[in-house]
Amino acid sequence: MAEQVAERIRTGGEVEAVAQVIASLAKHFGDRLVTGRAVREQHANSVTWLPNEAPDAVVFAESTQDVQITVRACAEHGVPVVAFGTGSSLEGQINAPEGGISIDLSRMNRVLAVNTEDLDCVIEPGVTRKQLNEHLRDAGLFFPIDPGADASLGGMASTRASGTNAVRYGTMKDNVIAMTVVLANGEVISTGSRARKSSSGYDLTRLFVGAEGTLGIITELTLKLSGIPEAISAGVCAFPTIRSACDAVILTIQSGLPVARIELLDEVQVKACNAYSKLDLAEQPTLFVEFHGTEAGVAEQAARFGEIAAEYGGGPFVWATRPEERSKLWQARHDAYWASLPLRPGARAIATDVCVPISRLAECVDETKRDIEEMGLIAPIVGHVGDGNFHTVTLVDMEDPQDIARVKDFMSRMVKRALAMGGTATGEHGVGQGKRKYMEAEHGTAALDAMRAIKAALDPKGIFNPGKILP
Ligand SMILES: Cc1cc2nc3c(=O)[nH]c(=O)nc-3n(C[C@H](O)[C@H](O)[C@H](O)COP(=O)(O)OP(=O)(O)OC[C@H]3O[C@@H](n4cnc5c(N)ncnc54)[C@H](O)[C@@H]3O)c2cc1C
């Protein structure tokens, strides 16, 4: 599905170095080292419109030691190493623009310990979010971070992912307690203990969360877990305009209502979800909302939310009372990206996200919506709006250079608008290749230099995921 397969020109020395690494790794990994084109291309970006830039080989790691062996061989010859979880990242994070070795961590998928009394678990990085929640269900616990894709926890930590529950439970930065990481010299470090808090030293855990595999390879994670709430209630509420829906979200958050999920879908996205997920929602801007707590607490929260929604002309609030109805609703929300594709058959989708302080949400979404209409784009808006985070999924005709230019202009305007409102170029998808160009505008030269200094200290040869994050 990618735009094109990029061509790379490499020096003779680079080609030789890669050949030596592959020869040395083949001795250790046997058929767990694959150089076939199809597998290599599957390990580069295939989800979005960014080009597919395949690695030279893929290693299927099964242990921390496998990762160490791979990293040491690559470090010796100065060959790039790109970690791979499930490949669902959206900004070209897994591409190998300079070639090298992809380390596929999906076979490192064991849940090593569940400490129910401490509400934490220790897992390997290839465990996916759904796999973990299946494992935890009987213990009455769950892991709340839920990106639309069934991503790996190592990949989610590395992109600082979030999802529909983040407004209540936080993002990966709040839910990773500690990690085991293989550094560029092959050394293995632990970034922390299982203690819930610590004032000891630099916070290495948060340094590796969101590093997109540019500083080290995570081979174990200790995660915070939450108890499955006694009562859950969810429902949908339609609004006359997107502005009124956002205003209701702002007041909900400012009132301190502990909503567990509050998701916006504009009328274009609702129409797409109705068709794709067989829903029959009114085709209006709509909030999907969920409350967690005791029976009494949930009822009280829902009543208060109903009052807020009514203040902005929203309603009626339609409850999804049975667990199957709730699952259908949230599955539809998670499938919003796929639901958007048929809105323009043959087009490619560009999912982009920005995040602004909550007080600026309505203004930012409203202006973005106006831009979409004035530019004549098909770009449903959907978002984890309780955090001030929203996405557009813009459909673009890759055969039409004018259309591509228009869409690029739209996305850059969206980022500039978010930055001007005190926000960020990405609330959860990360930087990868696609958003490197905004790093300077968002962070400034001095902060970028500090990031470069960290990168140079931890990865002096620049072997980890080159061409990502830092411009
Ligand atoms: C339909 C759809 C919906 C989505 N919805 C959301 C959403 O709601 N919220 C959200 O945050 N994202 C969302 N995403 C994006 C994506 O799911 C996340 O970015 C996810 O965190 C990527 O995980 P992954 O396992 O696929 O990682 P990959 O794509 O395999 O890797 C992502 C990055 O992490 C690095 N990496 C992977 N594993 C490791 C490791 N063990 N050690 C070090 N580095 C590593 C890679 O090198 C790469 O830079 C969505 C994507 C799709 C396709």
Side-chain angles (χ1 to χ4, degrees):
M1 286 176 64
E3 184 180 0
Q4 62 183 76
V5 177
E7 293 296 331
R8 289 186 303 269
I9 299 168
R10 284 189 282 183
T11 65
E14 285 169 342
V15 172
E16 177 60 18
V18 168
Q20 284 179 358
V21 168
I22 291 177
S24 116
L25 292 177
K27 282 189 209 140
H28 176 81
F29 288 101
D31 62 6
R32 288 197 285 127
L33 177 124
V34 179
T35 53
R37 187 184 171 108
V39 171
R40 291 190 295 110
E41 287 181 5
Q42 281 159 14
H43 284 76
N45 176 64
S46 59
V47 185
T48 72
W49 69 330
L50 291 163
N52 177 285
E53 298 175 315
D56 294 294
V58 179
V59 162
F60 289 87
E62 292 179 354
S63 65
T64 298
Q65 200 198 3
D66 281 350
V67 175
Q68 280 182 289
I69 289 167
T70 310
V71 169
R72 283 198 171 120
C74 288
E76 189 187 334
H77 297 278
V79 166
V81 187
V82 185
F84 180 94
T86 69
S88 69
S89 47
L90 295 168
E91 295 291 351
Q93 279 96 338
I94 51 163
N95 264 343
E98 298 175 21
I101 308 298
S102 167
I103 304 190
D104 182 319
L105 297 140
S106 61
R107 294 186 190 173
M108 291 180 68
N109 63 352
R110 288 176 305 160
V111 177
L112 302 173
V114 177
N115 304 302
T116 46
E117 291 179 351
D118 294 321
L119 296 144
D120 70 40
C121 68
V122 184
I123 58 156
E124 290 184 324
V127 172
T128 68
R129 67 172 183 88
K130 286 187 183 170
Q131 181 197 343
L132 180 60
N133 278 322
E134 285 290 311
H135 189 96
L136 294 172
R137 203 164 38 194
D138 292 343
L141 298 171
F142 79 114
F143 183 73
I145 316 300
D146 62 338
D150 186 20
S152 74
L153 273 310
M156 287 167 59
S158 300
T159 56
R160 209 182 292 131
S162 68
T164 63
N165 286 304
V167 61
R168 167 94 182 236
Y169 297 91
T171 73
M172 286 304 281
K173 97 175 149 37
D174 308 296
N175 287 280
V176 179
I177 301 173
M179 292 188 284
T180 301
V181 180
V182 175
L183 299 179
N185 58 6
E187 295 279 342
V188 178
I189 60 161
S190 168
T191 65
S193 68
R194 285 203 300 116
R196 274 302 163 104
K197 59 186 200 181
S198 166
S199 298
S200 173
Y202 297 145
D203 191 341
L204 294 181
T205 305
R206 281 191 180 71
L207 182 61
F208 286 99
V209 171
E212 299 185 7
T214 61
L215 299 178
I217 312 278
I218 303 160
T219 59
E220 255 180 52
L221 300 104
T222 303
L223 303 174
K224 199 189 272 188
L225 302 175
S226 296
I228 295 176
E230 177 189 314
I232 300 176
S233 74
V236 297
C237 187
F239 286 80
T241 62
I242 200 158
R243 176 102 202 187
S244 55
C246 290
D247 283 333
V249 173
I250 295 172
L251 188 56
T252 302
I253 300 300
Q254 288 174 342
S255 313
L257 201 64
V259 65
R261 291 165 145 173
I262 184 158
E263 296 284 315
L264 171 74
L265 291 78
D266 76 351
E267 69 285 358
V268 184
Q269 185 67 66
V270 171
K271 185 176 175 189
C273 289
N274 275 346
Y276 187 85
S277 301
K278 315 262 176 297
L279 304 178
D280 56 1
L281 301 174
E283 287 172 9
Q284 281 172 254
T286 298
L287 294 178
F288 285 16
V289 191
E290 187 166 283
F291 306 100
H292 293 176
T294 59
E295 294 288 354
V298 159
E300 201 179 306
Q301 290 172 47
R304 178 70 190 117
F305 176 76
E307 287 165 16
I308 292 174
E311 266 183 57
Y312 293 99
F317 199 77
V318 182
W319 292 103
T321 36
R322 284 179 295 131
E324 316 83 79
E325 285 172 334
R326 271 207 318 271
S327 300
K328 188 172 175 192
L329 201 60
W330 292 116
Q331 190 57 50
R333 166 61 191 90
H334 283 133
D335 289 340
Y337 174 86
W338 307 113
S340 305
L341 299 180
L343 290 175
R344 191 173 179 191
R348 295 267 159 79
I350 309 165
T352 198
D353 87 302
V354 293
C355 188
V356 291
I358 193 74
S359 65
R360 308 298 298 271
L361 175 74
E363 200 182 343
C364 196
V365 171
D366 211 24
E367 281 183 27
T368 304
K369 180 82 180 164
R370 249 202 324 271
D371 235 17
I372 292 169
E373 284 167 0
E374 283 168 10
M375 295 176 93
L377 300 172
I378 301 179
I381 295 180
V382 60
H384 314 308
V385 278
D387 293 320
N389 182 202
F390 68 96
H391 313 236
T392 53
V393 181
T394 314
L395 297 163
V396 58
D397 177 356
M398 296 304 294
E399 306 299 319
D400 178 354
Q402 277 186 335
D403 200 33
I404 296 173
R406 224 155 36 114
V407 170
K408 284 186 173 168
D409 182 34
F410 163 71
M411 289 198 305
S412 123
R413 288 158 65 91
M414 188 167 157
V415 169
K416 283 185 189 144
R417 185 178 304 117
L419 296 183
M421 292 185 182
T424 172
T426 169
E428 59 175 22
H429 292 168
V431 178
Q433 297 175 314
K435 288 202 165 162
R436 283 194 310 163
K437 54 182 172 286
Y438 305 119
M439 289 292 283
E440 178 100 36
E442 177 161 352
H443 299 282
T445 312
L448 265 187
D449 283 347
M451 291 188 206
R452 288 196 182 101
I454 292 169
K455 169 76 176 170
L458 286 178
D459 181 17
K461 292 184 181 166
I463 59 167
F464 282 136
N465 211 2
K468 314 299 160 60
I469 300 187
L470 296 170

